[in-house]
Amino acid sequence: QVDLVESGGGSVQAGGSLRLSCTASLATYGTHCMAWFRQAPGQEREGVAQIESDGTTTYADSVKGRFTIANTRNTLYLQMNNLKPEDTAMYYCATALRWRCPASRYEYKYWGQGTQVTVSS
């Protein structure tokens, strides 16, 4: 069991940056896959980035080159640069407490409450 708490969301203009944080109630660095998802109104939740327990990272095509996922002992980060209006969404961190990242978002068992990111044009 793990509790996840996100922070760092806000409102920015297009081209701006934000850094999201997700603090876990237990250490996850080097032991568990961690991921960021987002959900815009009326849309399905989609994967944004994930980091395997060995540090391997994967990004959605829409954010490659702009977002960077990283983690420390019990905190997951998402550095978001050159933000676009289409990045507007609620952002969630998640984990399945597994060594390898699940293939499906439905296998992620633990979720934070989300932090809102709004990008204006």
Side-chain angles (χ1 to χ4, degrees):
Q1 177 114 16
V2 60
D3 295 319
L4 303 172
V5 180
E6 301 98 335
S7 61
S11 298
V12 296
Q13 290 191 328
S17 298
L18 284 173
R19 188 177 79 158
L20 306 184
S21 299
C22 170
T23 301
S25 59
L26 52 80
T28 58
Y29 178 79
T31 57
H32 303 298
C33 161
M34 299 293 294
W36 287 100
F37 289 80
R38 67 185 181 187
Q39 187 169 18
Q43 297 187 21
E44 288 194 1
R45 192 168 297 189
E46 63 174 356
V48 175
Q50 64 184 34
I51 183 164
E52 301 273 3
S53 54
D54 66 358
T56 301
T57 57
T58 306
Y59 298 91
D61 287 343
S62 59
V63 307
K64 280 181 182 176
R66 301 188 297 121
F67 290 12
T68 303
I69 188 171
N71 60 348
T72 60
R73 184 175 180 273
N74 69 333
T75 303
L76 180 71
Y77 299 98
L78 186 67
Q79 178 66 43
M80 305 186 296
N81 297 327
N82 190 21
L83 282 160
K84 303 177 181 181
E86 51 264 43
D87 295 319
T88 295
M90 186 72 78
Y91 283 71
Y92 302 89
C93 68
T95 184
L97 290 183
R98 296 181 190 176
W99 181 263
R100 295 296 306 272
C101 291
S104 167
R105 66 179 173 93
Y106 298 104
E107 297 178 68
Y108 283 85
K109 187 176 179 181
Y110 303 99
W111 296 83
Q113 83 289 350
T115 185
Q116 178 68 37
V117 171
T118 303
V119 185
S120 58
S121 58

